[in-house]
Amino acid sequence: MKITLSVIKADIGGFVGHSDSHPECLCEADNKLAKAKQNDLIIDYHVTKCGDDLQLIMTHQKGENNTDIHEMAWNTFVSCTEVAKRLKLYGAGQDLLADAFSGNIKGMGPGAAEMEFEERISEPVVIFMADKTSSGAWNMPLYKMFADPFNTIGLVIAENMHQGFKFEVHDVKDSKKIIFSTPEEIYDMLVFIGAPNRYPVKAVYTRNGEIAASSSTQKLAFIAGRYVGKDDPVCIVRCQGAFPAVGEVLEPFATPYLVEGWMRGSHWGPIMPTGVADSLPTRFDGPPRVIAQGFQLSQGKLVGPRDFFADVSYDQAREMANKMAYMMRQHGPFEPHRLPLDEMEYTTMPQVSRKLAERFKPL
C-alpha cells in the first residue's frame, strides 16, 4: 500500500508570548482534520504542538505536494489564526506570509516535510519537530543517524545498511541541490552540511533510492525578506529494516548541540530534547526545543504516538543543555552567543548600519 506521510507546521500565535500553543487552537485544528478525514481527503491524522508551533501530521494517498492536501492545511492554519486573533495571542498568523492559497503551501510560510513510500510489513516512523531554531538544525543528527558508525552500529554490522546512504543537500541561497553518497563522499559532504544555515539536508535515501528521511528546508526570512520568526523545522525518519533502528535514530539527541535561533532568532543555543508537555521555551524564549513522536503505520493509520523524549534517559541531555544555555547566555550581545553579522541581515542590523554609515571614516 503506497502511503504519503505529510507533516505541515505553522506558528499561528503564541500563548503566552512565544512559549506555547493555546488548547483552543489545537482543538480547532483537530476539528478541521477530523472533517478532512470524514470526507476521505486524508486517511488519518494527529495534531500536536512544539512550543508555539502547530503541527499537522497526516497520512493520505495523494502524493507529495498535493494541492488539495496543502490547501486543507493552509485553510486549517487560517481558521486557527482566527482563533488566535480572538484570544489576542502573540504573533497571530505570523507564519502565513501570503494573502491566499496559491497551489502549494511551500513558499507561503508554513514548513512541510513529506514522503511517499510503499508501506512495509512493519513501518515505524519518528517525526521530529523543533521550536526556536532554523531549517538545517537536522544536519548533525541526520549525519549521525545515517553516516556515523559511532552512533549507528547498523552501518557496520547490518548487511542491508553496510553500503551506506545518499544525502540530498540544498543550497537555499542559490536554489540548487546536490546528492552525496556516503561513506565515500563524507568529507566532501561535511564541507557543506557543516554550514546548515545555507546547506540543509533535505532528504536521505538508501543506495537504491528508497526514501529514508525528509525535512523541511523553508527559510521564513528568505520568503519574507525580513525577520518574522524562526523556521522551526520538522523532519520525518523511517526506522528499522534497511534503515537505522529507532534507538539509533533517537541517539543523536542524547548529546545537545548548538543551533541558531533562540531569542529573536539571533543567537546560538543548545537544542533540548523534551516531551511534548515540556516543549515550552521560556528562558530567554528558549533554549530551543525538539520533540520526537513515534508511530507505527498500519494501512495508513497512525498507531501512536510514543512521546520518545519524555523518557527519563534524556534527563542528562536536558541538564547538559541547561548548563550550555547558562554558559552561552553569559556572552549577552557578544559573539559567539549572538549570530555573526552576515547572518543578522534580517534583523535590525542593516538599519543600524545604514544609519551610521556616514559616521565611519577612512583610517
Side-chain angles (χ1 to χ4, degrees):
M1 180 179 183
K2 186 164 280 191
I3 289 295
T4 306
L5 177 56
S6 299
V7 182
I8 305 180
K9 54 74 56 180
D11 181 347
I12 52 82
F15 169 65
V16 172
H18 290 294
S19 63
D20 199 0
S21 301
H22 196 279
E24 288 192 35
C25 293
L26 296 172
C27 183
E28 178 70 11
D30 192 273
N31 290 338
K32 293 297 183 183
L33 267 60
K35 188 173 183 179
K37 180 179 178 180
Q38 183 180 5
N39 293 335
D40 295 325
L41 179 60
I42 57 177
I43 299 173
D44 204 1
Y45 72 92
H46 178 70
V47 173
T48 188
K49 54 95 176 181
C50 182
D52 60 353
D53 289 288
L54 176 61
Q55 313 280 349
L56 310 181
I57 301 169
M58 301 166 286
T59 58
H60 53 92
Q61 291 187 291
K62 297 183 177 297
E64 298 177 31
N65 299 315
N66 179 266
T67 297
D68 293 337
I69 298 296
H70 283 217
E71 184 173 22
M72 182 269 293
W74 175 265
N75 290 338
T76 298
F77 293 139
V78 170
S79 294
C80 293
T81 295
E82 292 305 311
V83 175
K85 288 179 178 178
R86 174 171 56 79
L87 297 172
K88 296 188 177 180
L89 301 186
Y90 191 75
Q94 74 170 35
D95 280 5
L96 307 188
L97 302 180
D99 294 328
F101 182 74
S102 58
N104 190 300
I105 208 165
K106 294 179 181 179
M108 300 179 68
E114 297 182 289
M115 58 168 65
E116 184 180 30
F117 52 86
E118 196 72 34
E119 189 179 293
R120 297 171 291 166
I121 293 175
S122 180
E123 190 66 65
V125 298
V126 178
I127 299 170
F128 296 99
M129 295 155 272
D131 189 28
K132 303 300 182 285
T133 186
S134 304
S135 68
W138 310 122
N139 279 21
M140 183 181 287
L142 285 173
Y143 171 78
K144 288 186 174 182
M145 292 174 206
F146 292 98
D148 182 3
F150 281 80
N151 179 90
T152 301
I153 190 58
L155 295 167
V156 177
I157 64 175
E159 184 179 357
N160 57 359
M161 291 174 58
H162 196 72
Q163 71 275 17
F165 292 87
K166 296 189 295 185
F167 285 68
E168 179 182 330
V169 177
H170 286 193
D171 179 343
V172 294
K173 287 190 176 180
D174 288 344
S175 297
K176 297 185 293 186
K177 68 178 182 180
I178 184 173
I179 304 292
F180 291 101
S181 295
T182 62
E184 61 268 33
E185 294 185 304
I186 279 178
Y187 297 159
D188 290 342
M189 183 175 74
L190 285 171
V191 171
F192 295 94
I193 69 171
N197 177 268
R198 178 166 178 171
Y199 296 102
V201 176
K202 173 60 181 175
V204 181
Y205 302 88
T206 64
R207 294 300 284 264
N208 63 8
E210 188 173 4
I211 187 69
S214 176
S215 77
S216 60
T217 56
Q218 295 84 0
K219 295 195 75 67
L220 284 170
F222 287 2
I223 297 170
R226 67 189 192 283
Y227 177 73
V228 291
K230 294 314 288 180
D231 310 313
D232 303 332
V234 293
C235 182
I236 307 168
V237 182
R238 297 172 74 191
C239 307
Q240 308 295 152
F243 310 116
V246 169
E248 292 169 329
V249 166
L250 298 173
E251 180 63 15
F253 299 94
T255 302
Y257 57 97
L258 295 176
V259 295
E260 64 172 38
W262 208 345
M263 173 61 74
R264 302 183 188 275
S266 302
H267 298 79
W268 290 102
I271 194 161
M272 178 185 288
T274 69
V276 175
D278 291 322
S279 64
L280 306 171
T282 54
R283 187 189 175 195
F284 202 56
D285 279 359
R289 298 293 203 273
V290 57
I291 63 171
Q293 299 279 274
F295 297 90
Q296 292 284 158
L297 295 186
S298 177
Q299 300 296 305
K301 298 289 185 180
L302 290 164
V303 182
R306 283 287 323 280
D307 193 358
F308 282 121
F309 290 154
D311 183 5
V312 296
S313 64
Y314 292 94
D315 285 351
Q316 185 169 337
R318 290 186 274 272
E319 183 179 351
M320 290 172 62
N322 273 323
K323 289 180 178 179
M324 292 167 69
Y326 270 94
M327 186 274 289
M328 297 299 287
R329 283 298 303 127
Q330 299 309 303
H331 293 76
F334 290 87
E335 297 178 20
H337 184 29
R338 197 186 73 185
L339 296 182
L341 290 181
D342 61 347
E343 296 183 18
M344 297 278 286
E345 57 185 310
Y346 296 100
T347 67
T348 59
M349 192 61 64
Q351 293 94 309
V352 174
S353 297
R354 286 193 295 269
K355 182 180 71 173
L356 301 178
E358 294 184 358
R359 291 174 57 183
F360 279 90
K361 306 299 180 184
L363 294 177

